Amino acid sequence: MANKKNELSIYNSLSGEKEIFKPLKEGFVGLYVCGPTVYSYVHLGNCRTFISFDMVYRYLKHLGYTIRYVRNITDAGHLENDAEEGEDKIAKKARLEQLEPMEIVQQYTINFHETLSKFNNLPPSIEPTATGHIIEQIEMVQKIKDNGFAYESNGSVYFDVEKYNKKNYYGELSKRKIEDLISGTRSLDGQNEKKSPLDFALWKNAKPEHIMKWPSPWSVGFPGWHLECSAMSTKYLGEEFDIHGGGMDLKFPHHECEIAQGTASTGKKPVRYWMHANMLTLNGKKMSKSTGNTLLPNELISGDNDVLEKGYNPIVVRFFMMQAHYRSTLDFSSEALNAAEKGFSRLMDGINILKNLKTSDQSSQDVKDIIDSFYDAMNDDFNTPILIANLFDAVKYIQNVNNGTSTISKQDKELLEKEVNAFTFDILGLTEIQNEQNSSLDKVMELVLKMRQKARDEKDWDTADEIRDVLNDARIEVKDSKEGVTWMTK
Ligand code: AMP
Ligand code: ZN
């Protein structure tokens, strides 16, 4: 295979163009993705963004890069309504549930990990928390202040946007003009600590009722929400790093503020390539916790919801998501998921046929062309829908060989199998696990039921009872009827 590494282009939200990807250090990639705020169950919209970046991570890995993938856990500093004032999202949940904030964090972090592993996401290399990096955040505030881009007011420290904007462009990522931003903001009601309504908090003096707080040179308080990502990406990836990702809704103000903080503290633009994943919608509207327009992964998998007609395997859902480009919006509906279910089985059937495909002296199609088409799709800003269309072309060819209307050589069959498997399983992150699990359970159950029958025939009631009890514990129900023995998981 040619050196496909040099041909990857990435749509950079900063330039608004696709750019050839060149890492800062040959062979290595630093990737940072904004993680969840762990105060509630992740919804499928959140999952889509993390699945999109999992695919990016997987493709970069496939190209042979050594990647440090950092994805944070926001466990402090993120205030209600993403605002500058108000209660911390985690502290609020802790108050409502009468738990410690760290119990909330623990509960939803575990749920986050369990959910992403159902979708077969790989874990990041480092998963740092905001509370674990208070010192780094304080140091960064100090640097920004020393460089003259922040000021203290009543024990809080604010970023001076207008001052920063004199030599830099605040709005460069979200393509906003500072004049429009100023005229668009409400008056300074209740925020008169700030010089300008555009200024954002780097450090907040905690009100007495605020429970998550730490000592600092300015007050006992807590970091501003945008700061943690700047502090942790700098710590683990350096002052300048390759790729920063997150959902489109984080472009402004969160990522705009990250650029400003990084530039104000080090004099360097922190990120080379900004990538933004588009939103998952439900009934045409953004899936969002705050509006209640959400579907939780468990509701989708079990079918226990009012939106869809049945439950779906998470891997089918992943396939469904991969059928859309990460920069396009995607709407959830039963029709679309049913179609994805069919498409997914067609792809898996093709892969299974390929395993034992009969070979000939010659191939009737150019297998290298087919494989190039996989790389071309992914090198074009991770175009997974085109990749899947190309995989279906490969499936058509496989079926034609299988029914005798086409041929494939042994060498080409091996090559095609290697690459189809790599793109389907390693890069798109799909699995056959569910089916394999079922078929191995089928086999084990066949044996267990045979042993049960033998025990019964021999009137060995102890063994028969023991088998029944163990199956019961494993939530497997066995039914005896005239037609024979059937079993199902409860
Ligand atoms: P949060 O926990 O709210 O900070 O969100 C975690 C990630 O999910 C962020 O990258 C968001 O941009 C992303 N996100 C939130 N809602 C959606 C949605 N409806 N579709 C896709 N991504 C989303
Ligand atoms: Zn972030």
Side-chain angles (χ1 to χ4, degrees), residues 371-389:
I371 292 165
D372 277 348
S373 77
F374 301 162
Y375 281 94
D376 291 345
M378 288 303 283
N379 282 341
D380 183 13
D381 190 30
F382 309 93
N383 200 326
T384 54
I386 301 287
L387 167 65
I388 291 174

Side-chain angles (χ1 to χ4, degrees), residues 35-37 43 45-46 49-50 246-247 249-250 278-280 286-287:
T37 305
H43 59 66
N46 304 134
T49 290
F50 298 123
D249 56 342
L250 295 185
N278 215 327
M279 297 291 109
L280 183 70
K286 180 190 165 192
M287 197 176 280

Side-chain angles (χ1 to χ4, degrees), residues 90-104 107 211:
I90 286 157
K92 181 177 178 185
K93 188 71 173 232
R95 178 172 62 75
L96 294 174
E97 303 215 342
Q98 301 196 338
L99 293 170
E100 277 292 321
M102 281 302 131
E103 281 182 289
I104 298 292
Q107 179 181 340
I211 46 177

Side-chain angles (χ1 to χ4, degrees), residues 275-326:
M275 290 182 71
H276 289 98
N278 215 327
M279 297 291 109
L280 183 70
T281 59
L282 187 61
N283 302 317
K285 287 193 209 88
K286 180 190 165 192
M287 197 176 280
S288 154
K289 174 98 175 90
S290 54
T291 58
N293 187 37
T294 53
L295 189 60
L296 297 181
N298 280 342
E299 296 168 342
L300 170 80
I301 296 166
S302 67
D304 185 13
N305 63 74
D306 302 331
V307 191
L308 304 169
E309 58 197 30
K310 59 172 194 150
Y312 294 89
N313 183 309
I315 297 300
V316 169
V317 178
R318 183 173 176 120
F319 177 77
F320 167 71
M321 291 182 179
M322 291 291 131
Q323 278 185 311
H325 190 259
Y326 76 90

Side-chain angles (χ1 to χ4, degrees), residues 32-35 72 74 225-226 228-229 244-245 250 254-255 258:
Y32 187 93
V33 174
C34 292
N72 67 303
T74 298
W225 170 40
H226 314 303
E228 59 171 287
C229 290
H244 191 314
L250 295 185
H254 187 57
H255 292 160
E258 276 190 50

Side-chain angles (χ1 to χ4, degrees), residues 426-458:
D426 305 346
I427 297 167
L428 290 176
L430 303 173
T431 62
E432 272 188 306
I433 285 173
Q434 221 62 19
N435 295 336
E436 274 170 15
Q437 255 178 3
N438 279 344
S439 69
S440 51
L441 185 60
D442 282 341
K443 284 199 187 104
V444 172
M445 279 306 293
E446 202 179 310
L447 176 69
V448 169
L449 292 177
K450 226 191 254 169
M451 288 164 69
R452 175 173 171 266
Q453 194 52 48
K454 187 162 173 264
R456 287 175 146 199
D457 292 345
E458 289 169 0

Side-chain angles (χ1 to χ4, degrees), residues 213-254:
K213 52 193 171 191
W214 295 265
S216 81
W218 315 286
S219 61
V220 173
F222 56 93
W225 170 40
H226 314 303
L227 191 65
E228 59 171 287
C229 290
S230 290
M232 296 190 279
S233 61
T234 308
K235 171 158 177 149
Y236 297 111
L237 300 174
E239 294 179 348
E240 247 186 308
F241 61 94
D242 298 302
I243 305 176
H244 191 314
M248 207 79 108
D249 56 342
L250 295 185
K251 234 188 218 181
F252 187 87
H254 187 57

